[in-house]
Amino acid sequence: MKNSSIWKIVGILFIAILALAVVFMLMPFVAVAGGIGFWYFSKKKPNERYRMFSLIALGVGIVGSIFAIPAFINSNQNNASINTQVTVPSSSSSSEKQSSTQSSSEDKSKESSEERSEPSSSSSSSSEQEKKEWTKETNAQFATYLMNEMNNKLAETGTPLSVRAEYSDSSLILLYVPQDFKYQSNTEVQQVVDSVLIAKNGLFSKWATENGYEPNSTNNPTLYVYAEDGTTLAEESAFSGTMKLKIDNN
């Protein structure tokens, strides 16, 4: 009875993990469906309830795609590098003896050279661990990267929307979204700005790490979201790390 219960639990866990993996890989399709639905229920057949559901699906799909697509590409690259490793067998016992003798002599010489170079390697590794300072110029570069990545994701999902990102000093990112969002309900605007915040934090961690900056809360710039006419829709709270609405459309 105990063995059957254990196998039953293992089977349930396996099915759950498989289901999560499938859902994770379907995020781009969820974003496409959400974008099409948002456009359809906004322009072709206006329906506030279905439009909100489509907007939620769009936000979830975009955020999921930001993490799913790089993970899928890295997985393929790792598999490709593993498949390119080739083992060449030796042709005869005499060649095996000769290669064994050569490898032993090479190992000895390598060990001696490693001992001599150990101080320099340790100093180089310590210098690599030093992180660069986050500056105004750095924030400007990240703002451009954030804007391009978000617009690329929107284009990939077929969503007819685009955003514009600016920076202020070294601590603020100002993101401008289409004017239509200014007139949406509080619930819809909150869903959009929350999705934008998740995307900003994920892309910040990725970009900072790749460019030698410490991806901590001190360097992470605060996010402000505006409509195209300059109306402030929401701002990131420095205390809670969540988006606080600055408009009231209820």
Side-chain angles (χ1 to χ4, degrees):
M1 294 294 293
K2 291 183 177 180
N3 290 335
S4 62
S5 299
I6 292 174
W7 283 112
K8 186 176 181 180
I9 294 173
V10 171
I12 293 174
L13 289 176
F14 176 77
I15 293 173
I17 293 173
L18 182 61
L20 288 175
V22 172
V23 170
F24 189 66
M25 296 308 298
L26 288 178
M27 285 295 104
F29 301 99
V30 173
V32 172
I36 294 174
F38 179 79
W39 172 80
Y40 181 80
F41 292 116
S42 298
K43 304 296 183 182
K44 291 292 185 180
K45 190 177 181 181
N47 187 302
E48 184 175 353
R49 182 182 180 185
Y50 292 156
R51 182 177 59 191
M52 183 179 70
F53 291 155
S54 300
L55 190 63
I56 294 173
L58 174 61
V60 172
I62 290 175
V63 174
S65 299
I66 289 174
F67 297 100
I69 293 175
F72 178 75
I73 294 174
N74 291 335
S75 176
N76 288 341
Q77 290 176 346
N78 292 335
N79 290 335
S81 64
I82 292 174
N83 292 332
T84 55
Q85 295 179 357
V86 179
T87 302
V88 180
S90 56
S91 60
S92 64
S93 59
S94 60
S95 62
E96 288 179 355
K97 293 179 180 179
Q98 183 178 0
S99 62
S100 175
T101 304
Q102 292 177 350
S103 62
S104 62
S105 61
E106 290 175 355
D107 290 340
K108 292 180 180 179
S109 61
K110 184 184 295 185
E111 289 176 357
S112 61
S113 62
E114 287 177 351
E115 291 176 356
R116 290 193 300 268
S117 61
E118 183 175 357
S120 60
S121 63
S122 61
S123 60
S124 62
S125 62
S126 61
S127 62
E128 290 176 355
Q129 293 176 355
E130 295 180 359
K131 296 297 182 178
K132 296 183 286 187
E133 180 183 359
W134 191 273
T135 63
K136 179 179 179 180
E137 290 73 19
T138 305
N139 202 34
Q141 295 172 9
F142 173 66
T144 301
Y145 169 79
L146 176 66
M147 178 179 66
N148 292 337
E149 285 295 306
M150 295 190 68
N151 285 332
N152 288 340
K153 297 301 179 185
L154 290 170
E156 289 174 2
T157 58
T159 305
L161 302 174
S162 62
V163 298
R164 176 169 56 90
E166 297 180 356
Y167 70 96
S168 177
D169 201 18
S170 63
S171 59
L172 297 179
I173 291 292
L174 316 177
L175 192 76
Y176 291 82
V177 298
Q179 187 69 17
D180 291 343
F181 288 108
K182 177 181 177 180
Y183 308 105
Q184 305 297 332
S185 67
N186 286 1
T187 302
E188 291 175 316
V189 176
Q190 187 71 60
Q191 291 288 343
V192 171
V193 297
D194 286 346
S195 299
V196 171
L197 177 63
I198 294 173
K200 186 267 292 185
N201 288 338
L203 290 171
F204 163 76
S205 179
K206 180 176 182 292
W207 189 87
T209 301
E210 291 178 351
N211 289 273
Y213 295 94
E214 189 68 37
N216 53 31
S217 58
T218 302
N219 290 337
N220 193 352
T222 302
L223 176 66
Y224 281 71
V225 179
Y226 298 90
E228 290 179 344
D229 64 356
T231 301
T232 305
L233 302 183
E235 64 181 38
E236 181 181 356
S237 171
F239 300 100
S240 63
T242 59
M243 295 301 291
K244 301 295 183 182
L245 293 185
K246 307 300 289 185
I247 60 171
D248 188 2
N249 291 338
N250 286 341

